Amino acid sequence: MKALLDTKTKYFFFGGKGGVGKTVVSAAVALYYAERGERTLLASFNPVHSLSSLFGQNLSGGAIKPVAGVDNLYAVEVEIGDVVEKYKERVASLLREIFKWAELPVDTRPLVEIATTNPSFHEAAAFDKMMDVVLNEGRNYSRIIFDMAAVANAVRLIGLSKLYGLWLQRTIKMRQEALSLKYQLSFRKEKVLEEIKKDPVLNDLISLQERYAKVREILRDPQQTRFVFVTIPTVLSISVVKRFIDMVKAYEIPIGGVVVNMVIPPEEMERDKTGFLKSKGEEQARNLALIDQYFGGLVLSRVRLFPEDIVGLDRLRQFVKELVK
């Protein structure tokens, strides 16, 4: 793990099945960098935020806040609901502009409602916000750590890094064709040509495409970005990560490795007189063999199961020691 963290990689994404400790691992990596003197941003894109609980302070509200007690560490719990509302208004504005230009008296509200109830709309809005973080905050921080949602949401979000570009390409082409048709049919071509140059829809789409191209380049660059998977030694979590790795590869996102969390220490198994931990430990041993078989050299670290929840800076520092040993 230390070898990966000592690289110049700027953007780290952490994902895995729900309940495996993604947030703790993300926060531990952010704390590691901050306490080395690097200005670090920890961004939660998990709809069910837990950074506030983890650090024992209010980090909610969607704004970037300094983490009390740690120099150089900042955090944001991205409020997806707010992001969706802003994105919804943007889509509505684009539709109004399209119909205004076509001189069609259409009420765009039902169209907006249809578009925004699409299951992928939330991921599109979240991806737009992620682009903001990468492009705008990337200038302000040495490292940015993303705590991602559970696998299904994360895959859809990452998948947009490829599909978003295809959608923009197609939409820009359609808009250009419509503008070209209007120019050909117009009598006052010079006036229409000026309007086309200032067309807000086309300019907005081109601006989006330029932002997308920059982010896409960053996400595919192994010198800048790594996706790290977090699992625990259970068959279900291992299976999820195994499938997740293939999906991330398909989207050309560089893989950083796998963190194995909540491993029962042998001495704890020996101390437990009930036999419960020994039984669980033996089950974990079989699953750890599976992890070695499936992931081999991708395993970055095995972190022991702590007897208590990782809450507060002191316990998080203990976790960092286990993670980066």
Side-chain angles (χ1 to χ4, degrees), residues 84-102:
V84 167
E85 282 307 309
K86 287 177 185 170
Y87 201 67
K88 198 171 174 179
E89 178 51 39
R90 185 177 194 172
V91 170
S93 174
L94 278 172
L95 284 173
R96 281 196 297 269
E97 195 61 39
I98 287 171
F99 287 111
K100 184 179 106 181
W101 221 60

Side-chain angles (χ1 to χ4, degrees), residues 133-198:
V133 173
V134 171
L135 294 177
N136 299 334
E137 304 306 334
R139 295 190 291 265
N140 303 322
Y141 296 90
S142 300
R143 313 274 184 171
I144 298 185
I145 315 298
F146 290 92
D147 173 25
M148 302 298 289
V151 172
N153 286 346
V155 165
R156 286 201 298 269
L157 179 58
I158 291 168
L160 283 171
S161 68
K162 198 169 186 177
L163 300 177
Y164 202 74
L166 295 174
W167 174 79
L168 277 172
Q169 199 175 17
R170 179 67 182 270
T171 309
I172 287 172
K173 188 179 177 188
M174 288 171 61
R175 187 64 178 172
Q176 287 171 330
E177 287 173 350
L179 294 173
S180 174
L181 189 60
K182 178 165 183 172
Y183 176 74
Q184 290 172 35
L185 296 175
S186 66
F187 293 105
R188 301 174 64 189
K189 294 193 183 302
E190 287 185 4
K191 181 174 181 295
V192 172
L193 194 58
E194 282 304 308
E195 289 178 359
I196 290 174
K197 285 178 185 174
K198 297 175 184 173

Side-chain angles (χ1 to χ4, degrees), residues 14 16 25 29 58 66 86 124 129 161 183 188 239 294 306 318 323:
F14 288 87
V25 176
V29 169
N58 182 12
K86 287 177 185 170
K129 179 64 181 178
S161 68
Y183 176 74
R188 301 174 64 189
S239 302
Y294 290 150
F306 282 75
Q318 291 174 21
L323 180 68

